[in-house]
Amino acid sequence: MTDELDDLRAALKAMPGPDQDAKARAMALAMENFDRLQGSPQPARPSQDRPARAGILNGARNMLNFLTSRPALAATTSIAALIIGVTVILPVTNLKPGNGDIPVTNEKPSTEAKDGNALATGATDTETAVLERAPSATDPAADPAAEASVAPQEPLPEPAAPEKKETAAAPAESPTSLAEAAQDEPADTQAVEKPMVEESVAEDMVIGESELRLRATGEADAGLADTLTTYLPAPTAAAPDFIQPLPENTEAYASTPANPVKVTAEEPVSTFSIDVDTASYAVIRSTLNGGSLPAAEQVRIEEMINYFPYDYPAPEAGEAPFKASISVMETPWNPGTRLVGIGLQGALPAAEDRPALNLVFLIDTSGSMEDPNKLGLLKKSLALMLAELRPEDEIAIVAYAGSAGEVLPPTRAENRTAILAALENLSAGGSTAGAEGLELAYRVAEGMAKDGEVSRILLATDGDFNVGVSDPEGLEAYVAKKRESGTYLSVLGFGRGNLDDVIMQSLAQNGNGTAAYIDTLSEARKVLVDQLTGALFPIADDVKIQIEWNPAQVAEYRLIGYETRALAREDFNNDKVDAGEIGAGTQVTAIYEITAPGSSALRNDPLRYGAAAPATDAPEELGFLKLRYKAPGEASSTLVDTPITGRETASDSARFAAAMAGFGQLLQGSVYLGDWGWDEAIALAVGARGEDPFGYRAEAVNLMRLAESLGK
């Protein structure tokens, strides 16, 4: 303010000498204008409408601007008249020579300089609003007489904006009028310097507090809001009151320790049920693509190996419904051991020889399925499948949420319009009544069944069974009982966050079906289009594998994977014990790591009092493979056996399967790999990739590279 007054005094000194007549007229006009500014043409407003003290300084400044901007006044006013005007104004504003700071108020000064307005001189938000609302002395509409009495003149140069300063607000109650503000103002009020802060941060703080104050009191009318909007920049986004918690992850996976190394002399027989599920590989892919390494319990190595197609020979006509292939190769991660691979290839009947299919879509429409990668992807996936069905196949749709209901009665597959419309009308909501949905689906399937036809329920869910499943073991027993009627149950998993892999695997195994996880439409095509016959049409039930290892050639062995499919030795010959099924054209692969007697890779010391290895009629055989299976609908099993000579060769398929076994063990942090790591695993997979028409193996190599990067 001192600089402005100095500029004013210098300008006045350059004016012409006083004229007594002009002096009298100017004085009269000045007093008339001064008297008019003491009131307002607006009706009186309640004191509550003034949320903060209005500074008298702005009123004085506005009057000075008015007096110096009128052309006639600038040309005729004498020095004596202006000295009188200054003498009247200065005591009111409590200004002292040399004090150019803004008096302390209850409002923070704006740090935004604007040309030609009060904010340029450090006025507070409230002061600016009051001046904007008062009638302007230079507005012809507000004072027509003043316009007629004053002639135009060139305006004086506009003074520079003062340096921006932070001021401390003294605690005080808001006055109810400008007069009270003048009376309450301390005589020696001075600005208090605050520590320097970054200009943009200080500006945001001032503006944000002003805006919040207006919103909290609710006392600013439209005119004041418009004025603030004109002069203030847009407020910055306010921080949320609280951080929205991430959705709880309730995924569940079976935690089973890896198979240990076994001593052949103590336990020469290994027995397990075959498994053709592929869900684990898709879950691993989803996890890696999400930027995380999978947990060890998410990794089931047999499902990783069985995800890929291999070049196993198919059985000839009249033979068993599947054919076994054996390979033997040096172990990539341990030169002191060998890998024995066992591959089964199921027969693939011609499409016209396929039995009629009765398919029930059991669809989870609970609230947890609302995400696009759940119910939305589910609809698209099942729609892909329709084109692969024959016209005489029948489809029914059962949906379940808070309660279960039949959405589509049994409908021939040729009526695609009705089926697609029923799928499209599904929406998510409610809790998950899984048990009730299963019961209804089995009733619908039983009503569709006819002799010679295949009936299958295809359960599509995220696995979040939270209503009606108080006894999971009872549910599994129910599914196991229903499979005896010839209705199989397969499970498709969708989405992440609450994927209950434990229940999905259990239902599929007890229902003589398969479990797959679908995270993309490409995966849906693989499972429901490319592998449709294997997923829906069984060719062998309760398939069991048993190998008796020869202690003379194999001192130790380890089955890689299949931990959840282990069977007791006596279960192999017991036809009452359930095992996995093989679908039309399905492939199954299992890998053992074996160690010869005397090898430096042996992990167990020989027993001091152990019995000698029993004699054998075929001392050069590594072992003897036995397979049992039932024809679909039969109660008795058939035995197939073949020796493992050790002279079997390994193809690219066997080496790629070994690379996937290494991939899975690396993800699990296996103790059996030694110094073998990602570089070796990737090199093995690349070298054994072979023909890859669908790009599945190339994708696996990229996932291995991604896992290596995430693990660093």
Side-chain angles (χ1 to χ4, degrees):
M1 180 61 73
T2 302
D3 293 339
E4 295 180 13
L5 291 176
D6 291 342
D7 292 342
L8 179 59
R9 292 189 186 101
L12 292 175
K13 288 179 181 180
M15 292 295 177
D19 181 281
Q20 294 302 324
D21 294 336
K23 172 182 175 182
R25 291 194 301 272
M27 189 63 183
L29 179 60
M31 295 305 296
E32 177 184 350
N33 290 335
F34 183 82
D35 291 338
R36 187 173 64 254
L37 286 175
Q38 303 312 301
S40 172
Q42 303 285 346
R45 299 189 307 172
S47 59
Q48 300 96 298
D49 196 36
R50 302 185 181 210
R53 178 181 301 175
I56 297 302
L57 178 59
N58 278 348
R61 188 183 301 111
N62 190 39
M63 186 172 65
L64 283 175
N65 289 339
F66 162 72
L67 292 175
T68 58
S69 63
R70 304 292 290 186
L73 182 62
T76 60
T77 303
S78 65
I79 295 176
L82 290 175
I83 291 175
I84 294 174
V86 172
T87 303
V88 174
I89 296 172
L90 286 178
V92 178
T93 58
N94 293 320
L95 288 176
K96 298 189 297 184
N99 184 7
D101 292 330
I102 302 172
V104 176
T105 69
N106 287 335
E107 295 291 329
K108 290 185 180 294
S110 170
T111 59
E112 180 73 13
K114 295 284 183 181
D115 294 336
N117 60 65
L119 291 180
T121 59
T124 64
D125 298 343
T126 306
E127 290 170 343
T128 303
V130 171
L131 289 176
E132 287 294 318
R133 294 177 57 80
S136 173
T138 59
D139 186 354
D143 187 6
E147 180 187 20
S149 63
V150 182
Q153 174 196 333
E154 282 295 319
L156 292 175
E158 189 168 19
E163 181 181 357
K164 299 177 184 178
K165 293 184 180 180
E166 290 284 331
T167 61
E173 295 184 2
S174 299
T176 58
S177 67
L178 293 177
E180 292 179 9
Q183 295 172 3
D184 294 342
E185 196 69 27
D188 295 325
T189 301
Q190 296 185 4
V192 179
E193 289 284 339
K194 287 188 176 181
M196 291 299 293
V197 296
E198 188 175 342
E199 183 175 350
S200 62
V201 175
E203 178 175 325
D204 289 343
M205 291 172 61
V206 172
I207 294 170
E209 290 184 10
S210 173
E211 190 73 9
L212 291 174
R213 193 163 52 245
L214 289 173
R215 292 180 182 178
T217 60
E219 297 167 350
D221 61 10
L224 181 56
D226 292 343
T227 302
L228 290 173
T229 302
T230 301
Y231 289 107
L232 297 178
T236 56
D241 294 336
F242 62 94
I243 299 175
Q244 184 68 28
L246 294 174
E248 182 182 1
N249 189 322
T250 60
E251 293 187 354
Y253 298 88
S255 181
T256 306
N259 287 324
V261 173
K262 295 187 177 182
V263 178
T264 307
E266 300 171 1
E267 194 173 348
V269 178
S270 173
T271 309
F272 64 97
S273 164
I274 65 97
D275 185 15
V276 293
D277 295 342
T278 61
S280 177
Y281 179 84
V283 168
I284 291 169
R285 177 181 60 204
S286 173
T287 303
L288 289 173
N289 285 331
S292 302
L293 289 171
E297 59 267 22
Q298 292 177 325
V299 180
R300 290 190 291 272
I301 297 178
E302 72 277 7
E303 296 186 20
M304 298 179 65
I305 296 172
N306 286 317
Y307 183 84
F308 303 91
Y310 300 107
D311 58 354
Y312 301 144
E316 300 290 337
E319 295 181 349
F322 55 84
K323 184 175 183 177
S325 298
I326 299 172
S327 65
V328 179
M329 60 180 286
E330 183 180 280
T331 303
W333 50 85
N334 191 347
T337 65
R338 288 181 288 179
L339 294 183
V340 176
I342 301 169
L344 304 181
Q345 174 67 61
L348 181 61
E352 56 271 15
D353 296 333
R354 225 174 53 189
L357 175 65
N358 300 314
L359 182 62
V360 179
F361 290 161
L362 176 55
I363 300 176
D364 183 353
T365 55
S366 62
S368 63
M369 291 288 292
E370 190 173 7
D371 293 345
N373 65 338
K374 293 185 179 181
L375 186 58
L377 180 58
L378 185 157
K379 294 177 182 180
K380 296 176 182 177
S381 301
L382 297 182
L384 287 178
M385 182 182 186
L386 295 181
E388 303 302 312
L389 300 179
R390 296 179 303 179
E392 61 270 23
D393 295 335
E394 283 193 325
I395 292 178
I397 299 178
V398 173
Y400 65 93
S403 60
E406 187 178 70
V407 176
L408 180 73
T411 303
R412 287 172 61 92
E414 62 186 355
N415 193 354
R416 295 187 62 192
T417 301
I419 299 172
L420 290 173
L423 284 173
E424 189 59 33
N425 288 334
L426 295 175
S427 59
S431 53
T432 312
E436 185 179 350
L438 277 173
E439 292 176 359
L440 178 57
Y442 274 112
R443 289 199 300 270
V444 173
E446 290 168 0
M448 299 168 66
K450 299 180 181 63
D451 290 341
E453 297 181 349
V454 173
S455 296
R456 187 178 293 269
I457 297 172
L458 196 59
L459 169 59
T461 179
D462 60 0
D464 187 14
F465 289 82
N466 51 36
V467 174
V469 190
S470 57
D471 181 13
E473 293 183 0
L475 181 62
E476 295 165 6
Y478 174 78
V479 171
K481 180 178 179 181
K482 287 297 183 179
R483 74 167 180 255
E484 297 176 1
S485 66
T487 300
Y488 298 168
L489 173 67
S490 291
V491 183
L492 301 177
F494 290 84
R496 298 299 299 271
N498 53 357
L499 186 69
D500 196 333
D501 180 77
V502 176
I503 289 184
M504 291 170 54
Q505 290 287 325
S506 178
L507 291 178
Q509 291 181 13
N510 284 278
N512 262 15
T514 60
Y517 173 74
I518 295 179
D519 57 339
T520 65
L521 202 56
S522 296
E523 183 67 13
R525 177 176 175 80
K526 178 181 184 293
V527 173
L528 298 175
V529 176
D530 298 340
Q531 300 174 348
L532 175 68
T533 55
L536 299 180
F537 297 96
I539 58 175
D541 290 343
D542 294 341
V543 182
K544 306 170 187 175
I545 295 178
Q546 186 174 81
I547 298 180
E548 180 185 353
W549 296 105
N550 179 4
Q553 299 293 328
V554 178
E556 295 174 344
Y557 66 90
R558 175 173 70 98
L559 175 60
I560 302 176
Y562 286 94
E563 286 83 4
T564 63
R565 291 287 194 165
L567 296 174
R569 178 176 176 178
E570 62 270 20
D571 290 342
F572 183 74
N573 293 322
N574 187 350
D575 288 342
K576 297 292 186 181
V577 175
D578 179 59
E581 68 164 10
I582 292 180
T586 298
Q587 297 175 332
V588 185
T589 302
I591 298 177
Y592 282 91
E593 182 178 2
I594 62 172
T595 309
S599 171
S600 60
L602 286 172
R603 293 180 174 270
N604 294 281
D605 294 331
L607 296 176
R608 178 180 179 88
Y609 305 105
T616 175
D617 295 334
E620 295 184 358
E621 289 180 357
L622 296 179
F624 196 69
L625 171 65
K626 296 188 291 185
L627 299 167
R628 277 199 179 273
Y629 72 93
K630 298 175 185 174
E634 298 293 331
S636 299
S637 64
T638 301
L639 176 65
V640 177
D641 53 36
T642 184
I644 303 173
T645 65
R647 296 184 294 273
E648 296 86 354
T649 59
S651 63
D652 281 344
S653 287
R655 284 188 286 272
F656 189 83
M660 290 301 100
F663 183 12
Q665 291 177 94
L666 285 170
L667 292 175
Q668 289 179 333
S670 175
V671 299
Y672 299 115
L673 297 182
D675 295 332
W676 196 78
W678 288 110
D679 291 341
E680 292 81 4
I682 292 170
L684 177 61
V686 170
R689 190 165 53 188
E691 294 186 8
D692 188 22
F694 302 107
Y696 300 146
R697 297 186 181 186
E699 178 189 58
V701 172
N702 288 332
L703 289 177
M704 294 167 77
R705 293 192 176 107
L706 179 57
E708 179 184 23
S709 298
L710 292 173
K712 290 182 178 179

